[in-house]
Each structure stands twice: as C-alpha cells, then as structure tokens.
Amino acid sequence: MSLASASFGPPATGHYARDWALVDVETSGLVARRDRVLAVAVVTIGPDGEQTGEFSTLLDPGCDPGPVEVHGLTAERLRGAPTFDQVAGRIGAMLQDRVLVAHNAQFDYDFLAHEFARARMWLPVSQRLCTLALNRQVDPPTDDMKLGTLAAHYGVPQQRAHDALDDTRVLAGILRASLREAARLDLPLPLVSCPPRAESQFTPKPPKTPCAYRNPGRMAPGGPLLQGMKITITGETAHARAELTGRAVAAGLNMMTSVSRHTSALVTNEPTSGSTKARRAAAEGVPVIDEPTFLRLLADVRDGTAHEATTTSAPTPSPTTGVQATEPESSTSTPAPPAPSPGTTTVPAPRQPGAPAHDLARPLTGRRVLVLGGDHTDAAAARTRVVELGGSAAVNLSAGVTDVVVLADGEKDRRMNRVVALQLPLHEASWLTSPNASDTTNTTAARPKEPHVMPRGGVIDLPMPSGTPAPGLAPEPAPGPAPGPAPEPAPEWHLTVSWAPQSVCEIDVVAFILDEDEQVTFDEDFIFYGAPENPAGTVRLLTGGPAEQTIALDLATLPPATRKVVVAAAIDGPATFGTVGPLQIGAAPGTSGPPLTRATLDAATTERTLLLAEFYRRGPRWRLRAVGQGYDHGLDALARGYGVDIAD
C-alpha cells in the first residue's frame, strides 16, 4: 500500500520535510522495563512524502501476552513467531538516520530501547517526534487526542484498531495533516533528542517498600524506638549497612538517606566525624546513638500508628457530575514547610490568594487569549486579567487561540506575521478593561469540551474512580460556566507542562513524592531527567518535546505514606523565569484524554525554580492545586529542602 497520496503529503520544505520512520508496537503491558513487545510495525517515508519501506511482524515474547481483550494477540497466535532479537537488525536498519514517529512516542521508544538492550544492540534513533505532543501544540477541536479521534477529525480511515500495521498507516495520515496544520501556524516541531541508551540503564530495580507507619517524631533519650521513626545511618559500621537497614525495615522503622528536622535519630559510631549528616543532625538537634545502642533498641521496637489509606471506592454515581472547583484553602490546610537550617533553603508553603470576586463578569469564558509584547510585569498582569474575565491565557500560538492582545513591542514578536495571516482578532491592552459582547464573538471552530481554568492558588477535587465527587468535600463551584462531565476512570493522571520554545536555556520538570512531613521517603522519590521514574513506576517523567514535559502519576497505587506529589520546574542555565515567560499546566486523565483543568502560571521574575502544582490527599480523595511559587535558588536547594540527599 502506498501512502504517498492517501495518507501522507507533508510540506516538502524546511524542517517539515524529513526522512520519517513511523512506528507502532503492541505490548504485554505498560511498563517498558518489565513488559515485552508482541507486535511491531515500521513504515518509512521520504522527504517527498513517498513511502520507501514497510515491515510488520508478530513476536514471541517468551511470557504471558497480557491484556488479550485489548490487542487480541493470544499465546496461540504468537507461538512460532520470531523473537525480537531475530528481527532487531532489520528494524534497526529502517530506523537508522530517520526521525522515529509514534503516537505517544516515548512509550514506543522506551519499549524498543529495552528490546534492543535485551538483544545487546544499539537502538539507532537520534530524534523522535510524538504526534500526540504535536497535536497538543496544534490544538484541534477534538474530544481527546486518541489515535482514532484524530483519525476521524483529519479524515483518515481506520480499519483495525490496535493492529500494529494498520495503526502505523493511520499514523501516517495523522502526521500528514498535523504537519500541514503546524506549517499553517508556523509551529516548530517538538523533536526530542534521543541519545543512545546503554543496556545497563535498563536493569530493572525492585520497588522499595514505603514505611507503613506514621512518623511519631524524635526518639526520647534512652529510647525506645517506635515503628515509623525516621532513622539515618552514617559512617563506618561493624555490621554491614545492608544488614542494619534490613533489620530496621523489618521492625517497622523508616530508613532514610538524609537528615532533616523530621529525623528521629542518627546512628553513627563517629558523632564528631564532621560528616554532612552529623553536622545536619547537630544543627537540627537530632538524637545521636551508636551502633550497639541501635541494635539493642532494635530488639524491642514499640508499635506505631499505621497510615490510613485514601478511599478508592466511590459513592453511588449521580446522573451528572462535573469538576469540583474549590475555593483556595486557608493556610492551615498546607503542612508547615521544613524549618531553615545551615546550608539549606526552606521550601515555604504555597501562597494563598484571596477569595475570587463572585460578582465579576466573565465575558471571555471559552476563549483563549495570547498576549504578545510588554515587559514581564505588564504581560503577566494581562494574562491574570484574562483569567479573571473567564478566559484561558495561552502561552503559544495554536488553532485554539481566539484573540491576541498586543502590548508594547508586541508587533516585533516573531509570531505576529502568522497571527495577521490567520486573521485573528487583535486588541490593545485597554480591551481587557471591559471587553463587550461584540468584541468577543468566537470565530474559531466550536470545541466539544473546554477545560476548567484555574487561577494561581486554585484547587479542584479530582474525580473519584467512578467520576463522582465525594460528598461534603467540595464547596460551591467557582463562578463561571458549568464544567463538562467528569471523565471515565483513568489509569493515571498526566500533568503536562508547556512553555514558549527557548533558545538560551533548557527547562526541566521534576516531581517530589512526599510523606506527611513534606519529605521524600527515598532519594528515588525525586523524579527528574536523570531518574525519570521512581522504582515502583507510579510517578514518571515524559518528554513530549523541547517545550513540553509531563509528569504521569498513578494515584490509585501510591502507598498510604504518600501524602503529596509536588511538581516543579527548574531552569538549566543563567536565565530566569522572567525571561522564559509563562508556563501552562494541564491535568488530563490518561495519556490522550482531554485536559480536565488548565492554569497559566506567570508569577516568576528573577526565580530559577518554580513550584507548579501539587497533588495531595484531602480526606478520602485527591486534590490538585495550581501553585505558581518561585525561588531564586537552583534545583539542588529545592531538592534538599524536600529531604533529597544531594552531594555538596
């Protein structure tokens, strides 16, 4: 089948004309380091849009095929198929010197990387393009970003969903249409660099078990130890460190790798050694005991208080449900931040804005407004005003933008020529003072669903598994239009962060998995580019492009000890968020679900790190707060404040 005319024909100029390798894999599960590829298809396309190759095959994974009801690949169908190492050479030759393209490309790339690593081969991919991320930039008026939904929107026929070869052919048509839209909007392609991955990086790590007990606080002089106490060991020990740690964990203690004001005791045979942990313990007043004392107390660890699990069952569904928007909570709802100590920087509680004005007219409801020009203060104020008027402040030009506000020197913005060509309504800053109905006639395509817009400090209740809000937790919704129906159950939540493309710096999105003391349980609970997944795989960092990263959270499987997940952004380089501009966050159920809520965070000027959002437990459910609190210090100081052991 030739895809040149039916499915592919991108602009053959500039950076839109490349050698492409379109890929789809069917897998036995969702975790690349554990599950296997069952089927793979590759279609190669030249810069002129002509198909140059096609290959597909079933694979014998050597394991259970997993959810047969999804992919239809039974063990009987896979029996006798080649193993991945037998076809890896052919697949590698088709990927060589081409941009890998897939829908949710990190998923396909990671599975291929693991399979190539198991075959002791190099995955020859230096760049990838995700059509999901590309369409988030284009922002077509669709219910969601699923492959079938986009195929229907772009008029691409789909014959067999979850068939690797058919999905790849459908992907070709979607890529063609998406590239045309990107060219029309003059959008840069969200290409992701893919350095070769070594096999050792994919060695699976066993999940660490969080402590089942709440921290009772400091150890009293002479003991005893209580289950849940946070214990840190430093220096040389007579017994192997692994043995001490294993015995302590078995007794119900919470073994930590760093010292904070929440540490119950430090175990060391050299209290005057001057180590970082010993100095921190002295500064915080943490009790210090030696190894023999620790072993004696281990023989009689007293019972602790178990964590209470968040309820995952939902109440009886009501006929119609929606996003439960809550007023910003009082400062008493946020746990106290870590106290300052020598050489560290405190992580303060999020700023709590005042209650919104309930009598404010909201004429920009359902509109997306892009602000061009102005200094940081004026541009931030304009975006804040857009939200106050019920609109959504855009950070990039897309098909969803309905209006453009031009501030000082805004006409010099590189996007202005495209804005004029698209004939988008242009407004001066005074328009935001009192826009009227005649100024806000929507000329863009109607959208099935509009996400709830959160202001800085805004909070929403995330839908329970049935999509039904828990009773008695959500106050009256904030003013504005009634949100759309809540989504169906999602295996995980995706918080996608996007910003305007940068040429002078890189932005890293990170996450911290925190306990009731606002501290990580393990250093591995710090999720960043160098460690993009915690050992249990419940929180992951996904990269959609140079100006988009996503934190994926499986809230249902986080242990009861996890009380909060904080998502932040940090600048790698001398720039500040004052020069980077606003960041937009959008929370969506699942990989390709529609955003349930969106917020534009513009509260940073000289800051180099920015707290974006926090998922936290509130009674029997999870809530999401848009934070927008910036700090002048770097990511290392932020990580130390949350208890991550960062080398000096």
Side-chain angles (χ1 to χ4, degrees), residues 15-87:
H15 64 295
Y16 299 102
R18 295 173 180 266
D19 285 302
W20 310 98
L22 288 74
V23 173
D24 185 71
V25 297
E26 301 299 326
T27 63
S28 64
L30 302 177
V31 181
R33 57 183 165 80
R34 179 195 65 201
D35 301 315
R36 303 299 300 270
V37 174
L38 309 178
V40 60
V42 183
V43 171
T44 57
I45 304 291
D48 58 359
E50 292 290 335
Q51 178 179 333
T52 58
E54 179 179 289
F55 172 71
S56 67
T57 183
L58 299 179
L59 296 167
D60 182 357
C63 65
D64 184 89
V68 174
E69 68 279 5
V70 174
H71 50 61
L73 300 177
T74 63
E76 289 74 18
R77 285 191 63 189
L78 299 176
R79 188 173 295 119
T83 58
F84 189 89
D85 62 309
Q86 292 174 319
V87 298

Side-chain angles (χ1 to χ4, degrees), residues 345-346 348 571 573-578 603-610 629-638:
T345 303
T346 300
I571 291 178
T576 68
F577 280 106
T605 52
T606 62
E607 295 93 333
R608 296 177 55 233
T609 56
L610 180 64
Q629 176 68 57
Y631 304 97
D632 290 342
H633 57 59
L635 180 59
D636 55 347
L638 185 69

Side-chain angles (χ1 to χ4, degrees), residues 198-225:
E199 190 274 337
S200 61
Q201 291 180 274
F202 292 112
T203 302
K205 298 180 180 178
K208 295 186 177 181
T209 304
C211 184
Y213 303 95
R214 298 176 62 88
N215 181 12
R218 296 279 171 84
M219 187 189 75
L225 292 173

